[in-house]
Amino acid sequence: MPSMKKLIVLAFAATVSAQASQIDDGQVQAPTSESSIVAAPVTQIDDGQVQAPTSGSSIVAPVTQIDDGQVQAPTVTPSAVVSQIPDGQVQAPTAASTGAPVPTANGTFTQPPAVPFTGGAALVTFSDRDLATASGSFHGSTPALHNAATASPKYAASLATTQPEVTYPEGGLQAWLVVLGSFSGMLAAFGLMNIIGTFQAYLITHQLADTSPSTVGWIFSLYVFLAFGCGLQIGPIFDRKGPRWLVFAGSVCLVVGMVGVSESTEYWHFLLTFSILGGVGTSLIFTPAVGAIAHFFSRRRGAATGIAATGGSFGGIIFPLALQSLFPRLGFAWSVRLLGLVFFIILAIANLLIRTRLPPKVGGTVRPDFRVLRDVTFSLTTAGVFFIEWGLFVPLSYISSYALANGLSMAFSYQLLAVLNAGSVFGRAIPGYVADRLGRFNTMIGAVALCLISVLGIWLNVGGSIAGLCVFGVLFGFASGSNISLTPVCVGQLCEPEVFGRWYGTCYTIVSIGYVVQPSPSYFHNHAKA
């Protein structure tokens, strides 16, 4: 007597293109032939027996009943072929490999020559203990093929690859709490990035006064390189695992890094604490902070990202002025320790509020993958962001050193950085709102043009004028602020939110290369009065 497993396989393989009719729920009604039985679904229970199927079944096939309750394989040509693979599983055929199965002596099935696909039942993969219905989905990842008996191959293929449409809250309490969490994360992460000019100006006149400005500049170039470059790995981890542990690890790095900076006296101390710990911590925080917003907003993503990005600008206003006041009173060490304490408080908020809502993409991996650059639009966007950031980094990093080189006071150099970041607050919020209406790339082009006008038309001509530098700071701050708020939404426009971290991280990893080939601060000291 044939084994029960073989009978199950024979019954499933005997699915035919018999005339059927579609009823409710996408089911297929059995034909009226008296010799037809349901080929699926069945349920396997203990010791190899099978349970009778229910009435709501899908595809039927004519069979012939013989003695002692056994059934004989039908003589008609089935509409699909299956082949048995190890451990009793049955592999679903491809569209081009349909035909009749050929049984062998040991009860397995061999693949016949390929014949044209003429439609038929949805194909599934099942094992000894996981028998699936012919009208179901492939382990829940592919929608069922409805009305399979009459669907064309092209239509069936399109149904098999269709994914449920992603919807976005576009607001609501949870969505705006995520924006608040991202704001807090960027207040610390980008706030530190926006005050590297303050640290640059202080170190070249105090702890590292005997070190050339160009050598000191490597501390901050390495910091920015790591802050953006680590996104290559952090982005895919965010897509697969979510933001929780990334933000927590970044918070630890940033707070510990600030404590380490407060104790640093040698050049290598600052490389270890500010550059490495601070850079990696910044990347661990800002990549999830930006990516989480893409899970809650689509149509209003530019405005939401712009609001969150203003956190970095507020940090660039508050922290330089605070350090300017604290350095003379408390000294460098305690001033930076207090900065670390502020980071601890605001990053606690980020850890509580930053979260995602969309499931990870099926089949994704945490490994970096540069194959995303095969997308021509994404590659050109990445190249454009590279040159934008390469140019913006010079004024943002060296504006304080430029003021000092022109004979202006240390106090004004700190205030000038705050003026620039004040303009950046509006430059991050307003362009994001405009971008949702006029287009993200269109708005980015306009902002870059304004940056060019402010540098060539104002900065190169003001010299040591306090009024001229203030005007430049406001205008350039407004124009340059859009790079943080618009770049994520431009990249997000090219990909699905489930893989946003990978695309955004890859983009900024390439962009980060530009930060290690910047002009050194000595250039500005030597040419400030030219």
Side-chain angles (χ1 to χ4, degrees), residues 407-427:
L408 301 176
S409 66
M410 177 72 72
F412 178 75
S413 69
Y414 296 148
Q415 295 165 2
L416 181 58
L417 197 60
V419 169
L420 190 148
N421 282 287
S424 181
V425 171
F426 301 98

Side-chain angles (χ1 to χ4, degrees), residues 121-499:
L123 301 173
V124 296
T125 300
F126 62 97
S127 61
D128 287 342
R129 303 193 64 84
D130 183 21
L131 298 177
T133 65
S135 62
S137 61
F138 300 146
H139 297 289
S141 61
T142 306
L145 295 179
H146 299 289
N147 199 17
T150 58
S152 67
K154 183 177 180 180
Y155 179 66
S158 65
L159 284 176
T161 58
T162 300
Q163 297 295 331
E165 182 180 358
V166 178
T167 58
Y168 300 88
E170 301 292 354
L173 178 60
Q174 185 178 13
W176 289 114
L177 285 177
V178 171
V179 174
L180 176 60
S182 298
F183 175 92
S184 301
M186 294 189 198
L187 178 61
F190 282 131
L192 178 61
M193 184 177 293
N194 285 336
I195 62 171
I196 58 178
T198 300
F199 282 99
Q200 168 86 23
Y202 189 90
L203 293 181
I204 62 177
T205 57
H206 292 81
Q207 291 95 323
L208 303 180
D210 296 333
T211 306
S212 67
S214 60
T215 303
V216 174
W218 276 103
I219 296 174
F220 307 103
S221 293
L222 179 60
Y223 161 80
V224 180
F225 171 76
L226 292 175
F228 290 127
C230 292
L232 179 66
Q233 181 60 73
I234 294 172
I237 295 176
F238 166 77
D239 290 335
R240 294 294 298 167
K241 305 298 183 181
R244 181 178 300 276
W245 291 108
L246 293 175
V247 177
F248 176 77
S251 302
V252 172
C253 288
L254 215 56
V255 173
V256 172
M258 289 300 98
V259 174
V261 169
S262 69
E263 301 293 337
S264 299
T265 56
E266 302 292 335
Y267 180 77
W268 68 271
H269 295 167
F270 291 101
L271 282 176
L272 178 62
T273 58
F274 194 98
S275 302
I276 297 178
L277 281 176
V280 173
T282 298
S283 187
L284 284 167
I285 293 169
F286 100 84
T287 303
V290 172
I293 296 175
H295 283 242
F296 291 86
F297 295 89
S298 177
R299 180 175 51 85
R300 303 172 65 185
R301 187 178 298 171
T305 304
I307 293 172
T310 58
S313 299
F314 280 112
I317 297 171
I318 298 170
F319 299 150
L321 297 178
L323 292 177
Q324 175 192 357
S325 176
L326 293 174
F327 281 157
R329 298 180 183 181
L330 303 179
F332 179 82
W334 274 106
S335 298
V336 178
R337 288 182 192 131
L338 285 177
L339 181 63
L341 178 60
V342 173
F343 284 174
F344 176 83
I345 296 173
I346 59 181
L347 288 174
I349 300 174
N351 277 268
L352 292 174
L353 298 182
I354 295 177
R355 64 186 63 189
T356 56
R357 55 175 285 271
L358 299 176
K361 185 177 181 180
V362 177
T365 176
V366 298
R367 295 190 301 270
D369 188 0
F370 280 103
R371 287 180 297 180
V372 297
L373 294 172
R374 294 176 180 176
D375 187 296
V376 177
T377 305
F378 175 68
S379 296
L380 293 175
T381 300
T382 300
V385 175
F386 174 88
F387 289 110
I388 291 172
E389 294 284 356
W390 197 19
L392 297 181
F393 183 77
V394 174
L396 293 174
S397 301
Y398 303 130
I399 189 67
S400 296
S401 299
Y402 179 87
L404 292 175
N406 278 277
L408 301 176
S409 66
M410 177 72 72
F412 178 75
S413 69
Y414 296 148
Q415 295 165 2
L416 181 58
L417 197 60
V419 169
L420 190 148
N421 282 287
S424 181
V425 171
F426 301 98
R428 296 188 180 188
I430 295 176
Y433 178 84
V434 173
D436 289 335
R437 287 153 177 78
L438 300 183
R440 282 79 185 259
F441 285 92
N442 295 336
T443 308
M444 175 70 88
I445 293 172
V448 172
L450 188 58
C451 285
L452 182 64
I453 294 172
S454 63
V455 171
L456 298 181
I458 301 176
W459 193 22
L460 293 183
N461 300 308
V462 298
S465 169
I466 294 178
L469 287 175
C470 287
V471 172
F472 166 74
V474 172
L475 186 60
F476 183 81
F478 178 86
S480 64
S482 63
N483 73 305
I484 295 299
S485 61
L486 292 182
T487 298
V489 296
C490 287
V491 173
Q493 189 171 317
L494 306 178
C495 66
E496 298 177 352
E498 295 89 346
V499 295

